[in-house]
Amino acid sequence: MSIQLSNRPTRLEELPGPKGLPFIGNYAQINFQTFHLQLERWAAEYGDFYRVQLAGSQFVVISDVEAASVVLRERPQAFGRRLALQDIFDELGFNGVFSAEDENWRRQRRIVVTALNSAHLHEFYAAMLETTHRLRRRWEKAALAGVAVDLCAELMRYTVDITTQLAFGIDFNTLETDGPIIQHHLDQVFPMLNRRLTSPFPYWRYFRFGRDRALDDAVKAVRAQITDIITSCRARLADSPAALSAPRNFLEAMMAAQASENLAFTDDDIIANAFTLLLAGEDTTANTLAWAIKFFTDYPAMFTQVRAEVDAVLGQASAPESRDQAMRLPLVEAFANETMRLKPVAPLLIFDAKIPIEVGGLMLTPGTGVILLSRGMAIASDNFAQPEQFMPARWLDKTDPAQRVHNAKAFVPFGGGPRFCPGRNLALLEIKVVLAMLCRNFDVEMANEGKAVEEVLAFTMVPSNLWVRFKKRC
Ligand code: HEM
């Protein structure tokens, strides 16, 4: 297969790149909690096509927009998730749509996409609104008590409650639960995934540290909870088999497919995908919201402008009363886009070449790693004017000469091509609804006691030390 883009070296070994050590390559130069920052620094030095070696694996690191589009588009046949990722997900029991490949991926993808489509979101809006009011009441209590809150943890309660209702038809209501909640288990997963994915050697297959045993316990606990949910869903379907022909959520759709002969899913497939949706829906949206709220505190004048738009559209309502109302908030959406341009929760996307393939003149052999610097592309001056500036208006008036450069192809916070994030519409709706609710009801200030808010890569890019204090709006 050949996709020629320009005259670059044809062999990986000819590309520029940071000098490494024998065998471990560049491994010792990297702190994996800030891996993305190091790769972006190297891109500034070596260009939009360079080479790194991590332990035994060779990678090409790409921040060329055309080449990145090719990689995203030529899936699943030419590029796939890393084999190491597939193995790690598999042994943890969540080898669902995110890590599956080829036909196995296709049949799972169809069901997930349908479960998250617009029609389902439309029917779901009432539940989303009620969950948003629970978040508002929770923050009202915090405001009254004058306490600082851990913003990401707060928002993860919200996103888990939304995902479980939409995907499983179950209301966990962790927002109004004081005791143990599923998030405590889910919290263990992403940092450990990051650790294992970046480990030069799969040590956990030979011995387990305390943190590996904690991960085992967390996975076991979530699996038990999902198994209970599946059992009750199956009982509901046995009582009303008609639901099998018109499934109302993802779980029912998986079970309907299980009941049909040509799409036989095992219970393990169902558990793996339930796990996948919980993980994919929780951190990503919560951390994006957290970064956006941080920008509210950084840019109070913009907060006032966004609030004016929300007031005008919502009137007296304390949150958008319909999906239609939430869709009529262009400045809120621009604020969300600008947040994701500068603080994407997936600042890099990592794949393996699956077949011999040429990209941008470079010949890749099967197994070569490909890292797309998604944030790197979004902060390049070739792609966006004044790229380091937080300017939501660039998403509204793309013709303003001061903001001339605006390459939407360089903005891929949800990935691209056939494996584009199927949760995008749900996530954008959650983000708009929560930001609008916040603007209507609260003022917000940082309460991180002087500690810097930093980017930490824990599979997704998480803001550290993000504590805030809400005040009831005057
Ligand atoms: C702001 C929030 C979110 C962001 C930034 C985000 C980002 C991403 C990215 C970058 C990918 C990889 C895409 C690719 O390989 O091209 C992805 C995949 C995926 N996301 Fe999201 N996501 C978000 C929210 C959600 C939500 C709410 C759900 C569902 C509840 C979800 C479900 C998935 C699934 C199932 C995949 C795997 C798709 C596949 O491999 O076919 N995501 N997401």
Side-chain angles (χ1 to χ4, degrees):
M1 194 153 185
S2 166
I3 297 156
Q4 179 81 33
L5 289 173
S6 71
N7 281 333
R8 291 204 179 81
T10 55
R11 294 174 45 231
L12 191 65
E13 307 78 67
E14 293 164 358
L15 283 178
K19 204 167 156 39
L21 295 171
F23 183 66
I24 62 166
N26 305 105
Y27 196 83
Q29 292 152 278
I30 288 173
N31 168 354
F32 283 95
Q33 289 200 329
T34 50
F35 185 34
H36 60 301
L37 295 173
Q38 179 64 66
L39 291 180
E40 287 170 8
R41 277 194 293 272
W42 279 333
E45 200 174 336
Y46 299 107
D48 54 12
F49 250 77
Y50 68 92
R51 173 186 49 82
V52 290
Q53 187 201 331
L54 301 173
S57 305
Q58 296 282 348
F59 291 84
V60 51
V61 185
I62 300 179
S63 34
D64 174 281
V65 176
E66 294 309 319
S69 306
V70 168
V71 173
L72 291 172
R73 195 183 64 221
E74 296 300 318
R75 293 183 292 162
Q77 67 281 13
F79 297 96
R81 306 256 182 246
R82 293 227 77 206
L83 275 180
L85 178 141
Q86 294 173 43
D87 288 347
I88 290 169
F89 273 52
D90 205 21
E91 63 197 10
L92 288 170
F94 38 84
N95 193 7
V97 63
F98 184 81
S99 47
E101 288 296 325
D102 304 315
E103 195 43 42
N104 191 21
W105 164 74
R106 261 187 208 97
R107 66 193 187 122
Q108 302 184 41
R109 168 95 189 177
R110 241 173 272 137
I111 294 187
V112 169
V113 165
T114 309
L116 296 170
N117 73 11
S118 273
H120 277 104
L121 286 188
H122 192 74
E123 287 160 21
F124 180 66
Y125 193 78
M128 181 181 278
L129 183 56
E130 172 49 27
T131 308
T132 308
H133 284 310
R134 286 178 190 159
L135 182 64
R136 173 178 57 76
R137 292 194 291 269
R138 191 178 165 89
W139 285 355
E140 277 169 0
K141 276 192 207 152
L144 200 66
V147 293
V149 298
D150 176 347
L151 192 54
C152 295
E154 288 290 299
L155 291 162
M156 281 183 207
R157 287 178 184 253
Y158 178 80
T159 53
V160 164
D161 285 357
I162 293 285
T163 308
T164 50
Q165 288 178 83
L166 178 68
F168 312 150
I170 296 273
D171 185 3
F172 274 8
N173 195 3
T174 66
L175 280 166
E176 293 177 328
T177 306
D178 290 327
I181 52 170
I182 191 168
Q183 285 88 337
H184 293 323
H185 304 304
L186 295 175
D187 281 355
Q188 311 270 341
V189 177
F190 271 155
M192 280 303 285
L193 276 182
N194 205 42
R195 188 178 282 273
R196 288 190 178 180
L197 281 168
T198 54
S199 171
F201 165 74
Y203 69 84
W204 61 94
R205 291 181 192 146
Y206 306 93
F207 56 89
R208 279 167 135 72
F209 293 113
R211 58 178 184 251
D212 297 291
R213 289 193 296 275
L215 175 69
D216 291 342
D217 291 346
V219 169
K220 212 158 119 194
V222 177
R223 202 178 159 89
Q225 241 164 324
I226 293 175
T227 306
D228 284 350
I229 295 172
I230 290 175
T231 308
S232 53
C233 179
R234 198 162 270 146
R236 270 201 319 275
L237 287 177
D239 287 344
S240 55
L244 282 177
S245 52
R248 289 160 299 184
N249 56 48
F250 156 79
L251 261 194
E252 290 185 358
M254 285 294 272
M255 284 183 197
Q258 196 178 37
S260 84
E261 282 180 19
N262 51 356
L263 268 181
F265 285 114
T266 62
D267 273 10
D268 278 347
D269 287 333
I270 300 182
I271 293 173
N273 279 294
F275 223 128
T276 300
L277 285 188
L278 268 177
L279 289 171
E282 186 205 21
D283 270 49
T284 48
T285 316
N287 289 325
T288 303
L289 267 165
W291 284 116
I293 295 170
K294 161 90 171 45
F295 281 127
F296 275 164
T297 67
D298 289 343
Y299 300 98
M302 287 187 205
F303 178 58
T304 306
Q305 281 173 13
V306 175
R307 174 176 268 177
E309 174 183 87
V310 173
D311 287 350
V313 175
L314 268 61
Q316 293 307 306
S318 53
E321 286 181 318
S322 64
R323 182 162 173 246
D324 177 58
Q325 209 173 45
M327 302 303 267
R328 283 189 283 114
L329 296 167
L331 187 52
V332 177
E333 185 164 329
F335 203 91
N337 278 344
E338 190 64 346
T339 299
M340 289 188 284
R341 189 182 67 82
L342 289 179
K343 301 290 181 189
V345 293
L348 31 96
L349 297 164
I350 308 184
F351 308 111
D352 273 347
K354 288 161 83 173
I355 55 172
I357 183 165
E358 202 178 305
V359 177
L362 184 74
M363 194 63 209
L364 301 179
T365 51
T368 308
V370 178
I371 303 180
L372 303 186
L373 292 186
S374 41
R375 201 253 303 265
M377 297 191 296
I379 55 170
S381 54
D382 288 351
N383 298 325
F384 289 96
Q386 295 173 262
E388 70 294 347
Q389 297 292 319
F390 183 78
M391 298 195 309
R394 75 171 81 238
W395 297 97
L396 299 173
D397 183 2
K398 295 169 201 163
T399 57
D400 180 340
Q403 299 160 14
R404 226 172 12 247
V405 188
H406 186 98
N407 183 358
K409 273 172 89 178
F411 179 64
V412 289
F414 293 99
R419 300 198 73 154
F420 180 74
C421 172
R424 176 184 177 273
N425 290 347
L426 168 63
L428 285 179
L429 188 60
E430 288 177 78
I431 291 167
K432 283 192 261 187
V433 169
V434 171
L435 294 183
M437 180 279 282
L438 188 158
C439 287
R440 282 291 302 145
N441 301 280
F442 301 99
D443 288 313
V444 57
E445 63 184 28
M446 293 299 293
N448 51 337
E449 296 181 341
K451 292 191 195 122
V453 177
E454 278 166 2
E455 298 179 358
V456 178
L457 199 62
F459 199 67
T460 56
M461 189 181 83
V462 181
S464 66
N465 307 316
L466 191 37
W467 287 73
V468 299
R469 196 168 277 110
F470 290 108
K471 290 189 180 151
K472 203 65 195 118
R473 181 181 177 182
C474 308

